[in-house]
PDB file of all heavy atoms in Angstrom:
ATOM      1  N   ASP A 781      30.264 -40.748 -17.307  1.00  0.00           N
ATOM      2  CA  ASP A 781      28.779 -40.836 -17.237  1.00  0.00           C
ATOM      3  C   ASP A 781      28.299 -42.096 -16.486  1.00  0.00           C
ATOM      4  O   ASP A 781      27.268 -42.023 -15.830  1.00  0.00           O
ATOM      5  CB  ASP A 781      28.159 -40.828 -18.634  1.00  0.00           C
ATOM      6  CG  ASP A 781      28.211 -39.477 -19.265  1.00  0.00           C
ATOM      7  OD1 ASP A 781      28.688 -38.518 -18.657  1.00  0.00           O
ATOM      8  OD2 ASP A 781      27.800 -39.366 -20.474  1.00  0.00           O
ATOM      9  N   LEU A 782      29.025 -43.166 -16.604  1.00  0.00           N
ATOM     10  CA  LEU A 782      28.697 -44.449 -15.936  1.00  0.00           C
ATOM     11  C   LEU A 782      27.202 -44.858 -16.071  1.00  0.00           C
ATOM     12  O   LEU A 782      26.490 -45.037 -15.097  1.00  0.00           O
ATOM     13  CB  LEU A 782      29.012 -44.361 -14.434  1.00  0.00           C
ATOM     14  CG  LEU A 782      30.514 -44.352 -14.089  1.00  0.00           C
ATOM     15  CD1 LEU A 782      30.694 -44.110 -12.592  1.00  0.00           C
ATOM     16  CD2 LEU A 782      31.149 -45.670 -14.512  1.00  0.00           C
ATOM     17  N   PRO A 783      26.746 -45.060 -17.331  1.00  0.00           N
ATOM     18  CA  PRO A 783      25.380 -45.611 -17.482  1.00  0.00           C
ATOM     19  C   PRO A 783      25.313 -47.008 -16.891  1.00  0.00           C
ATOM     20  O   PRO A 783      24.248 -47.444 -16.452  1.00  0.00           O
ATOM     21  CB  PRO A 783      25.213 -45.612 -19.006  1.00  0.00           C
ATOM     22  CG  PRO A 783      26.599 -45.582 -19.571  1.00  0.00           C
ATOM     23  CD  PRO A 783      27.388 -44.787 -18.617  1.00  0.00           C
ATOM     24  N   VAL A 784      26.407 -47.705 -16.921  1.00  0.00           N
ATOM     25  CA  VAL A 784      26.589 -48.955 -16.149  1.00  0.00           C
ATOM     26  C   VAL A 784      27.937 -48.852 -15.459  1.00  0.00           C
ATOM     27  O   VAL A 784      28.852 -48.169 -15.955  1.00  0.00           O
ATOM     28  CB  VAL A 784      26.528 -50.223 -17.040  1.00  0.00           C
ATOM     29  CG1 VAL A 784      25.271 -50.244 -17.931  1.00  0.00           C
ATOM     30  CG2 VAL A 784      27.783 -50.356 -17.891  1.00  0.00           C
ATOM     31  N   ALA A 785      28.054 -49.477 -14.301  1.00  0.00           N
ATOM     32  CA  ALA A 785      29.302 -49.456 -13.581  1.00  0.00           C
ATOM     33  C   ALA A 785      30.052 -50.757 -13.847  1.00  0.00           C
ATOM     34  O   ALA A 785      29.626 -51.839 -13.404  1.00  0.00           O
ATOM     35  CB  ALA A 785      29.034 -49.364 -12.095  1.00  0.00           C
ATOM     36  N   PRO A 786      31.175 -50.692 -14.579  1.00  0.00           N
ATOM     37  CA  PRO A 786      31.952 -51.940 -14.808  1.00  0.00           C
ATOM     38  C   PRO A 786      32.483 -52.487 -13.481  1.00  0.00           C
ATOM     39  O   PRO A 786      32.935 -51.716 -12.617  1.00  0.00           O
ATOM     40  CB  PRO A 786      33.141 -51.463 -15.663  1.00  0.00           C
ATOM     41  CG  PRO A 786      32.702 -50.144 -16.239  1.00  0.00           C
ATOM     42  CD  PRO A 786      31.807 -49.560 -15.211  1.00  0.00           C
ATOM     43  N   LEU A 787      32.405 -53.782 -13.332  1.00  0.00           N
ATOM     44  CA  LEU A 787      32.846 -54.436 -12.078  1.00  0.00           C
ATOM     45  C   LEU A 787      34.185 -55.189 -12.305  1.00  0.00           C
ATOM     46  O   LEU A 787      35.141 -54.879 -11.648  1.00  0.00           O
ATOM     47  CB  LEU A 787      31.778 -55.374 -11.548  1.00  0.00           C
ATOM     48  CG  LEU A 787      30.423 -54.770 -11.201  1.00  0.00           C
ATOM     49  CD1 LEU A 787      29.422 -55.850 -10.759  1.00  0.00           C
ATOM     50  CD2 LEU A 787      30.576 -53.668 -10.128  1.00  0.00           C
ATOM     51  N   TYR A 788      34.164 -56.117 -13.210  1.00  0.00           N
ATOM     52  CA  TYR A 788      35.399 -56.865 -13.440  1.00  0.00           C
ATOM     53  C   TYR A 788      35.358 -57.521 -14.833  1.00  0.00           C
ATOM     54  O   TYR A 788      34.270 -57.610 -15.462  1.00  0.00           O
ATOM     55  CB  TYR A 788      35.607 -57.971 -12.372  1.00  0.00           C
ATOM     56  CG  TYR A 788      34.508 -59.022 -12.347  1.00  0.00           C
ATOM     57  CD1 TYR A 788      34.568 -60.164 -13.142  1.00  0.00           C
ATOM     58  CD2 TYR A 788      33.388 -58.851 -11.511  1.00  0.00           C
ATOM     59  CE1 TYR A 788      33.578 -61.119 -13.094  1.00  0.00           C
ATOM     60  CE2 TYR A 788      32.362 -59.806 -11.474  1.00  0.00           C
ATOM     61  CZ  TYR A 788      32.479 -60.915 -12.268  1.00  0.00           C
ATOM     62  OH  TYR A 788      31.455 -61.852 -12.241  1.00  0.00           O
ATOM     63  N   TYR A 789      36.531 -57.960 -15.287  1.00  0.00           N
ATOM     64  CA  TYR A 789      36.647 -58.667 -16.566  1.00  0.00           C
ATOM     65  C   TYR A 789      36.766 -60.161 -16.217  1.00  0.00           C
ATOM     66  O   TYR A 789      37.517 -60.550 -15.319  1.00  0.00           O
ATOM     67  CB  TYR A 789      37.857 -58.213 -17.350  1.00  0.00           C
ATOM     68  CG  TYR A 789      37.916 -56.733 -17.582  1.00  0.00           C
ATOM     69  CD1 TYR A 789      39.025 -55.976 -17.172  1.00  0.00           C
ATOM     70  CD2 TYR A 789      36.841 -56.033 -18.146  1.00  0.00           C
ATOM     71  CE1 TYR A 789      39.060 -54.617 -17.402  1.00  0.00           C
ATOM     72  CE2 TYR A 789      36.870 -54.672 -18.315  1.00  0.00           C
ATOM     73  CZ  TYR A 789      37.997 -53.949 -17.958  1.00  0.00           C
ATOM     74  OH  TYR A 789      38.032 -52.602 -18.172  1.00  0.00           O
ATOM     75  N   ALA A 790      36.073 -60.961 -16.971  1.00  0.00           N
ATOM     76  CA  ALA A 790      35.976 -62.351 -16.675  1.00  0.00           C
ATOM     77  C   ALA A 790      37.257 -63.127 -16.977  1.00  0.00           C
ATOM     78  O   ALA A 790      37.914 -62.852 -17.968  1.00  0.00           O
ATOM     79  CB  ALA A 790      34.845 -62.978 -17.459  1.00  0.00           C
ATOM     80  N   GLU A 791      37.595 -64.047 -16.113  1.00  0.00           N
ATOM     81  CA  GLU A 791      38.599 -65.060 -16.378  1.00  0.00           C
ATOM     82  C   GLU A 791      37.855 -66.391 -16.506  1.00  0.00           C
ATOM     83  O   GLU A 791      37.200 -66.813 -15.568  1.00  0.00           O
ATOM     84  CB  GLU A 791      39.650 -65.101 -15.281  1.00  0.00           C
ATOM     85  CG  GLU A 791      40.785 -66.095 -15.572  1.00  0.00           C
ATOM     86  CD  GLU A 791      41.871 -66.045 -14.512  1.00  0.00           C
ATOM     87  OE1 GLU A 791      41.926 -65.040 -13.778  1.00  0.00           O
ATOM     88  OE2 GLU A 791      42.638 -67.020 -14.440  1.00  0.00           O
ATOM     89  N   LEU A 792      37.922 -66.985 -17.675  1.00  0.00           N
ATOM     90  CA  LEU A 792      37.117 -68.156 -17.958  1.00  0.00           C
ATOM     91  C   LEU A 792      37.813 -69.416 -17.537  1.00  0.00           C
ATOM     92  O   LEU A 792      39.037 -69.508 -17.512  1.00  0.00           O
ATOM     93  CB  LEU A 792      36.823 -68.205 -19.461  1.00  0.00           C
ATOM     94  CG  LEU A 792      36.207 -66.957 -20.069  1.00  0.00           C
ATOM     95  CD1 LEU A 792      36.052 -67.151 -21.571  1.00  0.00           C
ATOM     96  CD2 LEU A 792      34.903 -66.614 -19.451  1.00  0.00           C
ATOM     97  N   GLY A 793      36.993 -70.444 -17.250  1.00  0.00           N
ATOM     98  CA  GLY A 793      37.531 -71.734 -16.899  1.00  0.00           C
ATOM     99  C   GLY A 793      36.497 -72.862 -17.115  1.00  0.00           C
ATOM    100  O   GLY A 793      35.382 -72.725 -16.641  1.00  0.00           O
TER     101      GLY A 793
END
Side-chain angles (χ1 to χ4, degrees):
D781 285 359
L782 289 174
V784 308
L787 299 177
Y788 62 89
Y789 307 125
E791 184 175 341
L792 307 177

